[in-house]
Amino acid sequence: MREAKYKRRYGEILDAAAAVFAEKGYHGASTKDIADRLGIRQGSLYYYFPSKEVALAEVCWIGVDGFVKGLQSILGGDGSTAKKIRAAVQNHMAPMATRHHYVKVFLKERHNLTARTGAEVTHRADEYERLLDRLLAEGIAAGALRANLDRRLAALAVLGLCNSAIDWFDPARGGIDRIADEYADILIEGLTVTP
C-alpha cells in the first residue's frame, strides 16, 4: 500500500516537473514552481528527488525511453521497409500527444544535464539513433531504399522532421496520427527506390 502511494505521488511529481520544465525551460523553472503546481511545500520534493537536475534527468529518460522500446519492437516485427518506416514515424510522433511535456523537455532541455546526471539519457538517445540507422541499413540491404542513401543524413532528416512538430503541435487539438501519416508519406517517397 505504501509503495503504491509512493509510486503514484512520484508520478504526479514527475508530471508536474515535466509541465513546469516544458513551460518555463529548465533554467526558468524552480523547485518552488513544481511544488506550487502540486500545492505542496518545496521541501517535500526532496523526498523524491535530491535536486532539480535529477528530476530533469528522470523526465528526459521518460521522454526518450518509449521511443527506443517502440522502435525495438518495430524492428523485431514483420513487414516491409515502408511499413516499418511508417510505424517508426508513428512511434516517434504519438508521444507528442500522450506525453507532450516529457517529449518537449527531452528535445529542448536535455542539454542542461551534466555528464553525471545525463549519461543514461544520452546513452538511450544514442541507442535510438542506432536503431533508426539499423532500420535504414536493413531497408537498403533489402533493396527497398536507395543504395546510395546517406544513412546518417537520412536519420537526421527523419529526426528533424518528426521533432519539429513539438514546436507547433497542440495536443489539445489532436490529430497527431494524421500528421505522422503525412510525415511518413514524405519520408517514404524520398527514401525508397522508385520502381
Side-chain angles (χ1 to χ4, degrees):
M1 177 81 167
R2 178 178 283 171
E3 185 178 337
K5 183 178 178 183
Y6 176 87
K7 285 182 179 179
R8 181 183 53 76
R9 192 58 168 165
Y10 182 80
E12 291 169 354
I13 290 171
L14 271 180
D15 288 346
V20 169
F21 292 150
E23 291 166 11
K24 297 187 170 196
Y26 176 70
H27 289 297
S30 69
T31 54
K32 183 177 183 324
D33 295 326
I34 298 167
D36 287 350
R37 183 171 286 254
L38 292 163
I40 63 174
R41 291 183 325 197
Q42 185 177 0
S44 300
L45 293 177
Y46 297 111
Y47 178 69
Y48 298 91
F49 298 104
S51 69
K52 182 174 85 163
E53 187 179 353
V54 171
L56 176 65
E58 193 65 27
V59 168
C60 287
W61 174 264
I62 292 170
V64 70
D65 189 50
F67 291 158
V68 174
K69 289 177 179 172
L71 192 49
Q72 286 170 333
S73 177
I74 291 162
L75 285 167
D78 295 327
S80 67
T81 298
K83 182 179 174 185
K84 287 183 177 183
I85 290 172
R86 184 170 302 282
V89 172
Q90 285 281 355
N91 174 68
H92 195 98
M93 302 289 292
M96 291 187 190
T98 59
R99 292 190 318 269
H100 185 80
H101 295 312
Y102 288 91
V103 173
K104 185 172 185 176
V105 172
F106 167 72
L107 293 175
K108 302 288 187 179
E109 302 297 330
R110 76 176 183 211
H111 66 276
N112 291 303
L113 294 170
T114 62
R116 181 180 57 81
T117 57
E120 290 182 9
V121 171
T122 299
H123 177 73
R124 201 67 167 156
D126 291 346
E127 184 177 358
Y128 184 63
E129 289 186 28
R130 283 192 298 275
L131 290 169
L132 188 53
D133 179 71
R134 184 177 133 201
L135 172 60
L136 297 171
E138 288 176 3
I140 292 168
L145 301 183
R146 294 185 284 112
N148 66 344
L149 184 68
D150 180 330
R151 292 194 333 247
R152 177 71 180 143
L153 193 58
L156 290 172
V158 170
L159 292 172
L161 181 62
C162 292
N163 290 345
S164 69
I166 202 70
D167 290 325
W168 55 264
F169 175 70
D170 180 359
R173 296 184 66 197
I176 198 69
D177 291 336
R178 184 189 63 78
I179 295 165
D181 276 338
E182 290 288 333
Y183 277 12
D185 288 342
I186 292 166
L187 291 166
I188 291 167
E189 289 293 319
L191 299 174
T192 55
V193 174
T194 305

